[in-house]
Amino acid sequence: MKIGIIGSTGLVGSHLKRLLAAEHELYTPHHVALDITDTADVRAWCRSVQPDLVINCSAIDVDRCEREPQLAEAVNVTGPQALAHIAREHGASILHFSTNYVFDGKQHGHIYTQADATDAINVYGRTKRVGEEALLTANPQSYVIRTSWVFGTGKENFLSTVHRKLRAGERIRSIKDVWASATYVNDLAARTLEVLARRSYGLYHVVNAGVLNYLEFAEEAARLAHADTALIEQVSESDAQRLAERPRFTPMSCSLSAELGLPPLRDWRAALTAYIAEANPH
Ligand SMILES: NC(=O)c1ccc[n+]([C@@H]2O[C@H](COP(=O)([O-])OP(=O)(O)OC[C@H]3O[C@@H](n4cnc5c(N)ncnc54)[C@H](OP(=O)(O)O)[C@@H]3O)[C@@H](O)[C@H]2O)c1
């Protein structure tokens, strides 16, 4: 297939690029060459590439969405919607990523499936939800994959770096009262290829199994990295003073994958073990 990937330098995009490169003809423009918010450029790019599939991995972070809601709207709603329309005009399918932050997370203990109502509590979550709907309406050949707390090589976020910091003897602060599913980017990329192979369009949840908070993740990372857990300072979400409010309890499971015979991904602890082994191969 001819596949275009937007956001291919990011965490998810770079891993998809690596996996898809072996079997497909890839087009992976850098952000400066193709901005998803510029519809004329997106149209010209699709006309020149004539893709069979476009994968949208573009993103801006949660707090930036809160600070710049118009940009959030452009990156998360109008850009993907236009891309989906243009892809349809070319007979191409589209795969797009979304987030657990489409849920409000107010019901402690509840695991969200696709059947649950969405009610986002921040700009990122609200725009991602509107983007999902817009995309699924604009192109009947759409896959939307909601994922959560992604970690792996290629991004210096908390989950990806905590084992390294602890091993180096660095003190870290870890939030104890926000729970979700975590997702190893290698597992997300591999499952994305399995979803594409099924050619069954629709809305998926792709996360590693298990429910955790950041503190549990840090403690497990410390154990696996043979680091001292005394380096971990427990804090609450309110202590962390992040700009955008985060939903408190948003673990997910996937009803559609189960119907298609795709088993749940391995437990997050096994995935973290694999990641730390990959990051420190000896
Ligand atoms: N990471 C997570 O924990 C997580 C959790 C849930 C859902 N997701 C979703 O997963 C998807 C991928 O996220 P990620 O973590 O891989 O993001 P990321 O690492 O921040 O990468 C984002 C990519 O998008 C590019 N980009 C940003 N603005 C763009 C624009 N206007 N036009 C074109 N490209 C643009 C960036 O390029 P530059 O760096 O050059 O700007 C980068 O290549 C997103 O849909 C995100 O919402 C991620």
Side-chain angles (χ1 to χ4, degrees), residues 6-13 30-32 34-37 56-61 71 75-76 96-100 124 128 146-151 154-155 157 188:
I6 299 179
S8 65
T9 59
L11 178 61
V12 177
H30 193 273
H31 181 173
V32 292
L34 183 68
D35 188 322
I36 194 167
T37 67
N56 177 30
C57 299
S58 62
I60 56 170
D61 73 46
L71 180 64
V75 173
N76 295 336
H96 173 81
F97 289 92
S98 189
T99 170
N100 53 318
Y124 172 74
K128 291 296 282 188
R146 288 183 186 146
T147 186
S148 169
W149 288 9
V150 184
F151 64 94
K155 193 168 186 171
N157 62 15
L188 171 62

Side-chain angles (χ1 to χ4, degrees), residues 243-255:
L243 181 64
E245 188 184 352
R246 265 57 171 184
R248 288 305 176 99
F249 196 96
T250 56
M252 299 190 291
S253 68
C254 191
S255 49

Side-chain angles (χ1 to χ4, degrees), residues 10-154:
L11 178 61
V12 177
S14 60
H15 286 267
L16 280 174
K17 180 177 171 181
R18 180 176 51 77
L19 283 193
L20 290 165
E23 290 188 17
H24 301 280
E25 191 178 330
L26 296 190
Y27 295 83
T28 55
H30 193 273
H31 181 173
V32 292
L34 183 68
D35 188 322
I36 194 167
T37 67
D38 186 330
T39 304
D41 272 7
V42 170
R43 188 175 292 285
W45 176 71
C46 280
R47 197 180 301 125
S48 76
V49 169
Q50 296 287 329
D52 302 303
L53 165 70
V54 288
I55 301 181
N56 177 30
C57 299
S58 62
I60 56 170
D61 73 46
V62 179
D63 289 331
R64 188 167 179 203
C65 287
E66 208 71 15
R67 266 194 314 275
E68 299 181 57
Q70 284 177 338
L71 180 64
E73 179 82 14
V75 173
N76 295 336
V77 184
T78 49
Q81 182 179 35
L83 178 65
H85 267 298
I86 294 163
R88 182 181 185 175
E89 286 164 13
H90 289 274
S93 49
I94 179 164
L95 188 143
H96 173 81
F97 289 92
S98 189
T99 170
N100 53 318
Y101 285 13
V102 297
F103 299 114
D104 68 14
K106 290 187 175 152
Q107 211 181 322
H108 194 95
H110 181 71
I111 311 291
Y112 288 94
T113 72
Q114 291 91 327
D116 284 298
T118 57
D119 192 7
I121 62 169
N122 58 34
V123 173
Y124 172 74
R126 277 195 291 274
T127 53
K128 291 296 282 188
R129 176 61 189 142
V130 179
E132 293 177 349
E133 285 281 317
L135 191 118
L136 289 163
T137 307
N139 190 331
Q141 297 184 74
S142 293
Y143 309 88
V144 175
I145 295 182
R146 288 183 186 146
T147 186
S148 169
W149 288 9
V150 184
F151 64 94
T153 51

